[in-house]
Amino acid sequence: MIARNMLAGRRLHFASLSRRIAVLYTLLFGLVLASIMVLVNHGIQRFAENAATRDLAAHARVFDEILELRARQMRGSADVLSRDFGFREAVATDDAATISSALANLQTRSNASAAFVIGLDASVTGSGRSALPSAESMWSALDEGQERGVIEIGGKLALAAASPVEAPDLLGWLVLAQPLDAAEMSRLGRLAALGVEARVRAKQALPDGIAAMPLGQVSHLLTENEHLYRVSALPSLANGVEPRLVLRHSLQATLAEYTSLRLLLGLFAGLGLALVILLSGRIARSIASPISRLDLAARAMAQGRARHVQVDSEDEVGRLATSFNHMVDAIEEREKRITHVALHDGLTNLPNRKLFVGQLQSALERRHADERIMVVYVDLDDFKVVNDTLGHPFGDSLLCRVAEDLKARIPDAVVARMGGDEFAIMLNRLGPQSSIPALADNLQACFGQGIEIEGQLADASASLGIAIAPADGLDSETLMKNADLALYRAKREGKGTHHFFETALDEQAQKRRRMELDLRTAIRDGQFEMNFQPLYSLKEDRLKAFEALIRWPHPELGMISPAEFIPLAEETGLIIPIGEWVIRESCRQAAAWPDDLSVAVNVSPKQFMTPNLPAVILQALTTSGLAPQRLELEITESIFIANVDTTLATLHRLRELGVRIALDDFGTGYSSLSYLRSFPFDKLKIDQSFVTDLLNGGNSGAVIRAIIALADALGMETLAEGVEEKIQADILAREGCRQIQGYLLSRPMHGADVAGFVAGLYGQSWNRSKRA
């Protein structure tokens, strides 16, 4: 009876609707929560695997870049030795002792395991602690121009970099090698934030499962799920070597990092279930409301609108809301900094080109019909000299001071740094009463004084190019292009000046561009030809030499003056290939002249500063067979402006080749005497301006007399340029000038006419066969 009553009581208890609903919702919530936990746990595992996969792929790129960087470092070390004149001579003469010594030193300096030279005869000369590879195994890759890759040394793989040895023809290759053993790869592995085990193995030495993996992809072994592998191919520098970079990462280690997260999720799940049982309705309302606000705020932030969440409590949800608000503030501040960095110059903190263009375009769009906008391009004069003489830190300080002065002197203007030593200025809302020339003069005055930095005075003069809207353009691109064209004209007219844009400037720029394209075509198609002007010795009363002068017979425009295309070639750098062709062609033609005639070739300052100038001259002399003493190089003192020590070193290297050095346009510079003390020139060429003035009653006679006396005292020859009248030659002869050049003797003649000129001058035929 008692048992029957208890069972009836339980039935009545569970028969209550509220109890059944509570039990039903509790069971349903528990089932849902359990399902969520399973899904979350699976998601964490997949996330961990994906994160490990991404990290492993990223670190594979890091390893590739580290190996590439190491190869470039070895290539750089090898290039220093392979370009050394003494080493190339040792390789050319097969001086094994010198080669081995140089390679041993290189191996020590570069911390390499092996250094060796592979000759064109398949010989291998080197220094290393193990056997060197055969030349045949590396020949194909080196012959195809491959610079770096993996080779096998002593049965082990090594990273190698090769540098050609040329003098100037190819003599062989200098190879540096660094082992890729376990110790080296472990050291590289420590550079990665992810625990990665890295090995470099030959393909044939890999286990079948790893060898079959697709290259560049992260994979599991079918028999092993606790590790991730990534196999990538490395470049090979030897036949039969197929190197593979194998990276292995423990997936268990990655999953272990999420154990605390799983436990935390389980704890929250149990707590949530208990809270649902006790206070389901209240807890639901207390959680749903702030989460809803967080969701709305997150959506607003995703749309670019910063929005804070109201914090009503200090519990987990409240702290989450507080953290969310801090995150919104941090993101907003970070975006402001990123925007500032993207739109401002890092050195001067001025607006950069992108921001300046945007501000200019905005100003143009808001411009009233009677308003004008002035755009000014500024380029500091001789800023490169400041960097070369006082150093780049000093140059950076100068740029900062210029930026500060501009902002202080023209606070209403927009000032931007366009890069290097170029600035841009925009003056907006200039009414009809504004005087544009006065504004230009005021801007020019901002650069009229020197700036003292760290006790040293630096010249801060500048050239300005000015364009005015709407006359010179209605969009930012056109205005900036026209201001740049005006700046180009200002710099050509001299330092410390400004120039307004004119329509003719655009036409000149297009003409200059067309000429540049034609000039490149002329270099490619060999359109140039050589003319020669005789140099006559007054002292010996005979023809002494010819000066080589380049001419350009344009196929459509006819003969183009060097005064037109040489400055353009200097600006674009095309003077270097042109100058090399002039040297080679002049030596080739002069080799057919009588042995007592020399050829004088002008070397431009830009060509002179190229490090391979001595090699170019040596190759021209060797190929043509011209004796070095029959080649005379004419330079101007402008080559001393950038780096006097480097210039003197180059001059001495040229003198060691046996060629003669002449200082052109002497007397027109400001410090020629200091150069004469530093280097013993063979000849001083008196500028034609002094010779022309001889007939005008000026003081040029005294200047010429002083130059000749100075040259005689220093044991140098003198040559006067631009001699057109016999009376000029007579005066120069009386003053003791040794040689003359000019129209009095002859205008420049084509190379094919030199033989007839010499024969006619001496009244005899010219026997070319003696040079055959």
Side-chain angles (χ1 to χ4, degrees), residues 218-233:
V218 178
S219 307
H220 287 283
L221 277 179
L222 295 178
T223 59
E224 184 182 2
N225 292 325
E226 61 271 15
H227 287 92
L228 296 177
Y229 288 84
R230 187 181 189 276
V231 181
S232 58

Side-chain angles (χ1 to χ4, degrees), residues 191-392:
L191 298 177
L194 187 69
V196 176
E197 177 184 347
R199 293 291 184 269
V200 175
R201 294 285 186 270
K203 178 181 179 181
Q204 56 271 24
L206 293 176
D208 294 340
I210 298 178
M213 289 182 178
L215 297 179
Q217 298 182 14
V218 178
S219 307
H220 287 283
L221 277 179
L222 295 178
T223 59
E224 184 182 2
N225 292 325
E226 61 271 15
H227 287 92
L228 296 177
Y229 288 84
R230 187 181 189 276
V231 181
S232 58
L234 297 178
S236 174
L237 201 60
N239 295 333
V241 177
E242 296 185 55
R244 295 291 186 266
L245 172 63
V246 181
L247 301 181
R248 187 177 76 166
H249 172 61
S250 174
L251 185 59
Q252 295 298 327
T254 301
L255 293 175
E257 298 176 2
Y258 295 92
T259 301
S260 58
L261 178 59
R262 292 176 173 177
L263 294 176
L264 184 61
L265 289 174
L267 178 61
F268 274 106
L271 179 61
L273 183 59
L275 290 176
V276 165
I277 295 174
L278 297 176
L279 302 168
S280 59
R282 183 175 180 180
I283 296 300
R285 288 191 300 269
S286 64
I287 293 177
S289 178
I291 289 180
S292 178
R293 292 196 299 267
L294 280 171
D295 177 64
L296 292 175
R299 291 176 182 271
M301 188 173 66
Q303 296 172 359
R305 296 180 287 107
R307 178 175 176 177
H308 286 82
V309 177
Q310 180 180 353
V311 180
D312 296 329
S313 63
E314 297 182 358
D315 57 11
E316 288 83 353
V317 176
R319 290 195 296 272
L320 178 60
T322 302
S323 299
F324 180 86
N325 292 336
H326 292 331
M327 181 183 68
V328 170
D329 294 337
I331 291 175
E332 189 175 8
E333 179 63 27
R334 190 178 301 111
E335 287 180 347
K336 290 180 180 178
R337 291 199 303 268
I338 292 173
T339 302
H340 182 84
V341 171
L343 298 177
H344 289 77
D345 174 56
L347 178 63
T348 62
N349 204 33
L350 291 176
N352 59 15
R353 177 183 293 272
K354 181 178 181 180
L355 180 56
F356 182 81
V357 171
Q359 291 175 323
L360 175 58
Q361 188 62 40
S362 178
L364 289 169
E365 293 171 356
R366 297 195 306 268
R367 184 186 66 85
H368 295 161
D370 59 344
E371 291 180 344
R372 293 170 293 176
I373 298 175
M374 175 186 286
V375 177
V376 185
Y377 260 28
V378 181
D379 186 89
L380 300 183
D381 296 325
D382 297 327
F383 182 73
K384 184 177 184 301
V385 176
V386 173
N387 275 340
D388 292 340
T389 56
L390 301 178
H392 288 276

